[in-house]
């Protein structure tokens, strides 16, 4: 089973996340077309010379057509992106460090007491200590297989896991 990030999640997260460059709307539209999703709005969005207001209108229209306009709400986008990233990790599409980096990026601008932020930051800290075989405070990476501990931490956290078949 080969899972890749949903192009709409990837596009919207790139627009929300202050780290890195946003994916151009035309690139998103082209990827949707490559995945077999076609509409007049998507075809119009492939134009790289659209005025920003037209582009914004078309993005909204495409999200409605895809029935994904709820992803404009940051908490829903964050939750969906986290779930999709965990699925990618479990199927081997990304490695553990990529997952941890994405998890930390999800909550980089949140309050210090946000449970999601606390989980990913602690996990990153302990995983980093594992590299130097230092002392892990919450997640027992030292002397154990990195992926085993990471998967155990995800299960214990109650995060949505992919269906294992």
């Amino acid at each position: 089973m080969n899972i890749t990030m949903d192009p709409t999640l990837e596009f919207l997260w790139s627009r929300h996340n202050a780290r890195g460059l946003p994916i151009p709307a035309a690139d998103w539209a082209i990827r949707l077309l490559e995945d077999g999703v076609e509409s007049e709005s998507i075809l119009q969005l492939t134009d790289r010379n659209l005025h920003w207001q037209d582009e914004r209108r078309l993005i909204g229209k495409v999200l409605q057509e895809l029935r994904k306009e709820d992803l404009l709400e940051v908490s829903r986008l964050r939750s969906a992106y986290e779930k999709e990233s965990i699925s990618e990790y479990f199927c081997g599409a990304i490695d553990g460090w990529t997952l941890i980096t994405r998890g930390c990026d999800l909550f980089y601008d949140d309050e210090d007491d946000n449970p999601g932020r606390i989980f990913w930051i602690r996990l990153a800290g302990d995983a980093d200590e594992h590299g130097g075989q230092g002392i892990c405070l919450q997640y027992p990476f030292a002397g154990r297989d990195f992926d085993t501990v990471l998967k155990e931490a995800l299960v214990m956290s109650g995060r949505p896991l992919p269906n294992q078949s």
Side-chain angles (χ1 to χ4, degrees), residues 8-128:
T8 301
L9 281 174
E10 198 170 37
F11 168 72
L12 291 173
W13 184 252
S14 79
R15 295 271 172 133
H16 173 75
N17 185 3
R19 298 173 183 217
L21 296 174
I23 295 171
D27 290 351
W28 171 54
I30 291 166
R31 183 145 173 228
L32 289 173
L33 291 170
E34 290 172 348
D35 288 350
V37 182
E38 288 189 39
S39 76
E40 185 59 35
S41 303
I42 293 172
L43 289 171
Q44 290 175 16
L45 198 52
T46 62
D47 182 353
R48 293 188 187 279
N49 297 312
L50 284 174
H51 187 273
W52 69 270
Q53 291 171 323
D54 294 329
E55 180 181 85
R56 190 173 188 159
R57 179 186 53 76
L58 285 169
I59 289 169
K61 191 168 183 181
V62 170
L63 289 173
Q64 284 180 331
E65 291 169 359
L66 297 173
R67 294 193 172 125
K68 293 185 178 186
E69 63 267 22
D70 63 321
L71 293 176
L72 292 173
E73 184 183 321
V74 175
S75 64
R76 289 179 189 240
L77 174 61
R78 181 181 286 160
S79 176
Y81 190 83
E82 180 181 48
K83 183 178 180 180
E84 193 89 4
S85 294
I86 290 169
S87 292
E88 282 188 308
Y89 169 68
F90 270 86
C91 81
I94 61 172
D95 65 13
W97 279 111
T98 301
L99 175 63
I100 290 171
T101 301
R102 285 183 185 180
C104 289
D105 284 349
L106 284 170
F107 299 97
Y108 78 93
D109 63 350
D110 275 16
E111 299 295 322
D112 289 343
D113 62 348
N114 178 297
R117 184 177 196 277
I118 291 168
F119 170 76
W120 288 108
I121 296 297
R122 284 184 181 164
L123 188 62
D126 282 358
D128 187 49

